[in-house]
Amino acid sequence: MKNEDEPKDKRLKPGDAQKLTMAEVAKYVGVSAMTVSRAFRQDASVSEETRKRIMEAVDALGYVLDLSAGSLSSRRSGFIAALVPSINNSNFSDTARGMTDALQNTGLQLLLGYTDYSTEKEEELIEAMLRRRPEGIILTGGSHTARARRMLVKAGIPVVETWELPEDPINQVVGFSNSEAMALLVRTLASQGYRKFGYIGGTTARDTRGSQRRSGFQKTVEELGLGPGRMISFGVPPITMEQGGQAIVSLLERWPDTEVVLCVSDLSAFGAIMECTRRGMKVPRDIAIAGFGDYEISSICHPRITTINVDCYGIGRQAAARLMDALHTGEATGDEITLTGYKVVLRESTDRNGAPTA
Amino acid sequence: MKNEDEPKDKRLKPGDAQKLTMAEVAKYVGVSAMTVSRAFRQDASVSEETRKRIMEAVDALGYVLDLSAGSLSSRRSGFIAALVPSINNSNFSDTARGMTDALQNTGLQLLLGYTDYSTEKEEELIEAMLRRRPEGIILTGGSHTARARRMLVKAGIPVVETWELPEDPINQVVGFSNSEAMALLVRTLASQGYRKFGYIGGTTARDTRGSQRRSGFQKTVEELGLGPGRMISFGVPPITMEQGGQAIVSLLERWPDTEVVLCVSDLSAFGAIMECTRRGMKVPRDIAIAGFGDYEISSICHPRITTINVDCYGIGRQAAARLMDALHTGEATGDEITLTGYKVVLRESTDRNGAPTA
DNA sequence: CCTAAAATTGTTATCGATATCATCTTGCCG
DNA sequence: CGGCAAGATGATATCGATAACAATTTTAGG
């Protein structure tokens, strides 16, 4: 026996690169590698006694399981890939949290990727992910490059598209109609007496959810006989707070009598409100402004922002749950659509009677 | 030849699970698997002609490289693990972006994990990551469980700790002194005439950067002979906007004559300012408030918030760069410390003369 | 036109864990 | 006490790509 290499000094440094394998742990304990492998799984049949001895050895030697070897032979990579547009967006991070929570104790890990609202980047990421053979994949939105779509189909794993309702789903869908949600907001505000509607959103079609919100706005304004909406496009999605501020300036220059402005997200709405405040306009007294997404900031800032609350967390949770279903039922599940909720949250920024307090 | 399974219908659906291997692509093209493998790498010697034919076949068959097999034999997993406290924090997402950018064209992918400010969760994540054999690992902060530390050392891969200066670094460090940064802010404001300092931060020691900022505040206030600071602890880190608002209420109840309040982050500062505004206090006329981190919101909101700007992106970029260095030099590099910059950004929220405009 | 060097391609062993089947205990029941 | 089922463990083949080396073809130079 020659294993006097247990680190004993307090300040440990890397460098003594290990090359510890399961076989060595096995030899150390006096069992076969197979038994060590079994000890790492809860369902396998190993006597408690043996498992304990193995785990002690694992601890003493500092062995860490090698999944890359394991997944090759078991043909199970043990992870789910999820692609979201942006890392720094509380809506998507709530969704990611929902997914992580739903995957607790399933033995599956979540691997996140960021597409930056670009289908090209999404395609690259999808390929990078598929190369590691995920057991399922969750996407945001329903717009993908043709090649991405082909790869996803070929992969033969469950796919869940989220956050919207694609016309031609690949597989499963968990989301809601961004267009109808925005329409609901328009109708709600119209019923409060607002007539002259403006809209602020990003410039391109890259952000499909943004485009859907825009078209929901446009359609509804016209349906209500309030003429074509006053639309300002500003900045590449995701539109920033600052761009929201710039956009409202353009909008009010062009249509000074606008009564209420809907924004593609709370962040741009916030930027717009702050810019108005800075220019001496009171919100909602001089102009009403609403957002979309119910970010934390909207319930904190002054005035608080009217918005659409989306069940971000639920989207993530259900997407993961649907994926698990598909994995368990041997992916024979049909292509289901799971609708998630949203609701209008009326706050000070569109309050008809009130100047905001203070 | 029997390969009439090319998908031709427009609406592709998964289900026809593939089991396509490199060998089959090779057979299809009429070369060996090894040549196909070579075709996938830019440096390998394959004739352009052959590579083209192989890539066409790959495209036609829809083959996707299997890295789990490849990394087993090449002993290179092709990814770097990075652990950050929170997914939804623009400071850390900037850092993540810096890392991603620095890893462009290195053939290495970034894998992010979220510790939720918990060393226990960090330990779990470190183990989960190590099981996939990353080629390097980037951590946020210098506090880790003993077991986490042991695993990291044992792993024999480069480790970079970021965002602070640990007393006992594992390996490399890229960061700055949170304590000194906060001290600088205190001194700057003191030089403007402020005397009665308050501080708002989270309750526990979990957020080590928060603790360091707090101690930097405390120490400096005392050094300047301004008595012990007025400290309010509120909420489990990461402290939210809402908790910032609640905290400032407590603070002003207890010490109504406070002149300036420093907050552990811009987000709590924002919450505090909004709460003051709502209660009819003007910032900075009635009370000055500053944050930390220079989040986007601080330059947009009204009044704009004085803060410490941290080179978040640079931290990420340099952390990844140091890691690459270590990988190239055969990890013989000493344990270097790379200092990153920070600076005070004075804005309206602590403006001595001015009530904010409007 | 011949030879050495360079470029291209192929063959075989291997990475480290796990599926699968075989073997060996143990315990229980009639 | 025989026999059989359930439980524990081991032996071996295998997952799919790549390293390492071997073989072959092409190119360049004299």
Side-chain angles (χ1 to χ4, degrees):
Chain A
M1 304 262 174
K2 43 177 82 177
N3 31 278
E4 54 261 9
D5 56 356
E6 273 178 62
K8 281 299 173 207
D9 39 307
K10 274 180 192 153
R11 300 192 44 182
L12 302 172
K13 303 279 171 182
D16 51 346
Q18 59 150 13
K19 216 151 292 219
L20 204 51
T21 92
M22 201 172 254
E24 292 168 66
V25 176
K27 194 160 66 171
Y28 183 91
V29 181
V31 296
S32 73
M34 196 60 234
T35 303
V36 175
S37 173
R38 289 189 180 109
F40 271 100
R41 282 174 297 182
Q42 73 287 42
D43 58 315
S45 73
V46 187
S47 72
E48 262 326 301
E49 151 69 7
T50 310
R51 171 175 275 134
K52 195 168 134 269
R53 267 174 43 228
I54 290 176
M55 284 316 178
E56 281 168 7
V58 164
D59 218 53
L61 298 173
Y63 173 71
V64 175
L65 201 56
D66 187 331
L67 290 185
S68 62
S71 60
L72 179 57
S73 102
S74 69
R75 307 164 131 295
R76 298 203 42 208
S77 62
F79 82 96
I80 297 293
L83 302 186
V84 296
S86 156
I87 177 176
N88 180 31
N89 179 305
S90 71
N91 276 353
F92 296 128
S93 73
D94 284 347
T95 299
R97 203 161 38 78
M99 296 190 254
T100 309
D101 288 356
L103 292 177
Q104 284 290 18
N105 310 316
T106 62
L108 286 168
Q109 218 189 331
L110 190 72
L111 238 101
L112 280 175
Y114 306 95
T115 66
D116 238 338
Y117 291 87
S118 145
T119 51
E120 284 73 33
K121 216 160 199 167
E122 189 197 49
E123 178 185 313
E124 282 176 37
L125 268 171
I126 287 174
E127 180 162 28
M129 290 293 189
L130 289 181
R131 285 183 170 191
R132 300 186 188 275
R133 300 289 187 266
E135 302 189 24
I137 187 165
I138 300 175
L139 305 171
T140 307
S143 304
H144 321 288
T145 65
R147 196 169 88 89
R149 209 181 164 82
R150 240 180 293 131
M151 288 193 292
L152 288 168
V153 172
K154 254 284 182 184
I157 55 175
V159 177
V160 184
E161 291 166 288
T162 62
W163 266 92
E164 48 184 270
L165 305 179
E167 285 184 20
D168 184 13
I170 298 179
N171 195 180
Q172 304 204 54
V173 173
V174 175
F176 64 98
S177 165
N178 285 264
S179 156
E180 284 185 22
M182 188 54 95
L184 176 62
L185 183 55
V186 172
R187 282 195 296 270
T188 305
L189 291 172
S191 76
Q192 299 201 336
Y194 287 108
R195 285 293 168 266
K196 294 169 181 158
F197 281 80
Y199 184 88
I200 289 174
T203 45
T204 73
R206 274 174 63 191
D207 177 7
T208 54
R209 287 163 297 292
S211 307
Q212 290 155 8
R213 288 171 202 170
R214 171 190 304 251
S215 73
F217 167 82
Q218 187 70 295
K219 202 190 62 184
T220 312
V221 167
E222 286 172 13
E223 274 175 15
L224 293 173
L226 304 176
R230 298 116 182 255
M231 324 257 287
I232 288 286
S233 294
F234 204 102
V236 175
I239 179 171
T240 63
M241 291 179 181
E242 181 167 11
Q243 291 168 332
Q246 296 169 322
I248 192 121
V249 172
S250 314
L251 193 145
L252 291 178
E253 265 172 18
R254 187 140 163 223
W255 298 290
D257 61 337
T258 305
E259 293 170 2
V260 60
V261 177
L262 308 202
C263 302
V264 68
S265 90
D266 282 1
L267 304 181
S268 39
F270 175 76
I273 292 176
M274 290 300 127
E275 186 61 30
C276 289
T277 306
R278 194 164 280 119
R279 290 171 175 249
M281 297 178 71
K282 285 268 189 207
V283 176
R285 194 193 61 196
D286 302 320
I287 182 139
I289 296 179
F292 197 110
D294 199 12
Y295 290 66
E296 183 188 15
I297 197 175
S298 296
S299 63
I300 301 293
C301 69
H302 183 77
R304 296 189 174 93
I305 304 176
T306 290
T307 187
I308 293 279
N309 174 281
V310 174
D311 184 13
C312 314
Y313 180 83
I315 290 177
R317 194 160 181 108
Q318 297 209 54
R322 292 288 74 74
L323 207 54
M324 297 303 298
D325 289 351
L327 287 174
H328 288 138
T329 62
E331 49 205 303
T333 35
D335 307 351
E336 300 162 32
I337 293 182
T338 306
L339 292 176
T340 60
Y342 56 83
K343 55 177 188 271
V344 173
V345 181
L346 291 172
R347 297 211 184 97
E348 298 157 359
S349 72
T350 60
D351 187 353
R352 212 61 241 257
N353 336 332
T357 40
Chain B
M1 301 265 175
K2 46 179 78 175
N3 30 277
E4 53 261 10
D5 55 356
E6 273 180 62
K8 281 298 174 209
D9 38 308
K10 274 179 190 155
R11 300 193 44 182
L12 302 172
K13 302 280 171 181
D16 52 344
Q18 60 151 11
K19 215 151 291 217
L20 205 51
T21 92
M22 201 171 252
E24 292 168 66
V25 177
K27 196 161 64 174
Y28 183 91
V29 182
V31 296
S32 73
M34 196 60 233
T35 303
V36 175
S37 172
R38 288 188 180 108
F40 271 101
R41 280 174 298 183
Q42 74 287 42
D43 58 314
S45 73
V46 188
S47 73
E48 261 328 300
E49 151 69 6
T50 310
R51 170 175 277 133
K52 193 168 135 272
R53 267 175 42 229
I54 290 176
M55 283 317 179
E56 281 168 6
V58 163
D59 218 53
L61 298 174
Y63 172 72
V64 175
L65 201 56
D66 186 332
L67 290 184
S68 61
S71 60
L72 179 59
S73 103
S74 69
R75 308 164 129 294
R76 299 202 43 206
S77 62
F79 82 95
I80 297 292
L83 302 186
V84 295
S86 156
I87 177 177
N88 180 31
N89 179 304
S90 72
N91 276 354
F92 296 129
S93 73
D94 284 347
T95 299
R97 204 161 38 79
M99 297 191 252
T100 309
D101 288 356
L103 292 178
Q104 283 291 18
N105 310 318
T106 62
L108 286 169
Q109 217 190 332
L110 190 72
L111 237 101
L112 280 175
Y114 307 95
T115 65
D116 238 338
Y117 292 88
S118 144
T119 51
E120 284 73 33
K121 217 161 198 166
E122 188 196 50
E123 179 186 313
E124 282 176 37
L125 268 171
I126 287 174
E127 180 162 26
M129 291 293 189
L130 290 180
R131 286 184 168 190
R132 299 186 187 275
R133 300 290 187 266
E135 302 189 25
I137 187 165
I138 301 176
L139 305 172
T140 307
S143 304
H144 321 288
T145 66
R147 196 168 90 90
R149 209 181 165 84
R150 241 180 292 131
M151 289 192 292
L152 289 167
V153 172
K154 254 282 182 183
I157 56 175
V159 177
V160 184
E161 290 165 289
T162 63
W163 267 93
E164 50 185 90
L165 305 177
E167 285 185 19
D168 183 14
I170 298 178
N171 196 179
Q172 303 204 55
V173 174
V174 175
F176 64 97
S177 166
N178 285 265
S179 154
E180 284 186 22
M182 187 54 95
L184 176 62
L185 183 54
V186 172
R187 282 195 296 270
T188 306
L189 292 172
S191 78
Q192 299 200 338
Y194 288 107
R195 286 293 169 266
K196 293 170 182 157
F197 281 78
Y199 184 88
I200 288 174
T203 46
T204 73
R206 274 174 63 190
D207 177 8
T208 54
R209 287 162 299 291
S211 307
Q212 289 155 9
R213 288 170 202 170
R214 170 191 304 251
S215 74
F217 167 83
Q218 187 68 297
K219 203 190 62 188
T220 311
V221 166
E222 285 172 14
E223 275 176 16
L224 294 173
L226 304 176
R230 298 117 183 256
M231 322 256 288
I232 288 286
S233 295
F234 204 101
V236 175
I239 180 172
T240 63
M241 292 179 180
E242 181 167 10
Q243 291 168 333
Q246 296 169 323
I248 192 118
V249 173
S250 312
L251 193 145
L252 291 179
E253 264 171 18
R254 187 140 164 221
W255 297 291
D257 62 337
T258 305
E259 293 170 1
V260 59
V261 177
L262 308 201
C263 302
V264 68
S265 91
D266 282 2
L267 304 181
S268 39
F270 175 75
I273 292 175
M274 289 300 126
E275 186 61 31
C276 289
T277 307
R278 194 163 280 119
R279 290 174 174 247
M281 298 178 70
K282 285 267 189 206
V283 176
R285 193 194 61 195
D286 301 319
I287 181 136
I289 295 180
F292 196 111
D294 199 11
Y295 290 67
E296 184 187 16
I297 196 175
S298 296
S299 62
I300 301 293
C301 69
H302 182 77
R304 296 188 175 95
I305 304 176
T306 290
T307 188
I308 293 279
N309 173 282
V310 174
D311 184 13
C312 313
Y313 181 82
I315 291 177
R317 194 160 180 107
Q318 297 210 53
R322 292 288 75 73
L323 208 54
M324 297 303 297
D325 290 350
L327 287 175
H328 288 139
T329 61
E331 49 207 301
T333 35
D335 305 350
E336 300 162 32
I337 292 182
T338 306
L339 292 176
T340 59
Y342 56 83
K343 55 176 188 271
V344 173
V345 181
L346 290 172
R347 297 210 183 97
E348 299 157 358
S349 73
T350 59
D351 187 353
R352 212 61 241 257
N353 336 334
T357 40

